[in-house]
Amino acid sequence: MVLLNVNAVVHVLWKLKIADKTPMEVANLQTYHVQNINGEIKLKPSSPWYYQIQTQLGVCGRDICDFVLFTSKAISVETVKFDPDFYKQIVDRSHAFFDIVFHNYFN
């Protein structure tokens, strides 16, 4: 993650197992973290990277993240907007997890 300005960050993804494909080929795999929606490459909301980006935006107080999917064939950029409701779910689940784990560990 890189802070771009007051309201934005950038998250660059490069993975060796997809390096020889175009971002659209990766999106069409249907088993990866991005999907092809009407010819646009979009990060799946179920992806751990989506959770990571929403958490980064929430913790850093930023509004948008440019998600960059980088392969040796091309680059795709999607602007992901901060979703406060989604972030609240992440925070609530994290609190519940820590309450359970630490209460069981320290009691």
Side-chain angles (χ1 to χ4, degrees), residues 48-105:
W49 297 326
Y50 187 82
Y51 279 75
Q52 181 177 348
I53 288 170
Q54 289 298 326
T55 302
Q56 290 170 337
L57 290 171
V59 168
C60 294
R62 301 302 199 257
D63 297 325
I64 59 170
C65 174
D66 285 333
F67 173 71
V68 180
L69 179 58
F70 175 80
T71 73
S72 62
K73 305 266 179 143
I75 296 173
S76 170
V77 179
E78 175 193 359
T79 299
V80 178
K81 293 180 181 179
F82 178 60
D83 182 341
D85 295 328
F86 193 89
Y87 178 65
K88 183 179 181 327
Q89 290 177 13
I90 294 170
V91 170
D92 291 346
R93 288 178 184 166
S94 297
H95 285 165
F97 171 79
F98 283 111
D99 285 346
I100 292 168
V101 170
F102 284 106
H103 283 219
N104 287 335
Y105 183 76

Side-chain angles (χ1 to χ4, degrees), residues 13-33:
L13 176 68
W14 184 88
K15 296 285 185 184
L16 186 58
K17 70 180 183 179
I18 61 167
D20 64 336
K21 299 179 179 357
T22 67
M24 188 56 75
E25 289 171 333
V26 174
N28 289 330
L29 289 175
Q30 297 186 11
T31 57
Y32 211 66
H33 300 277

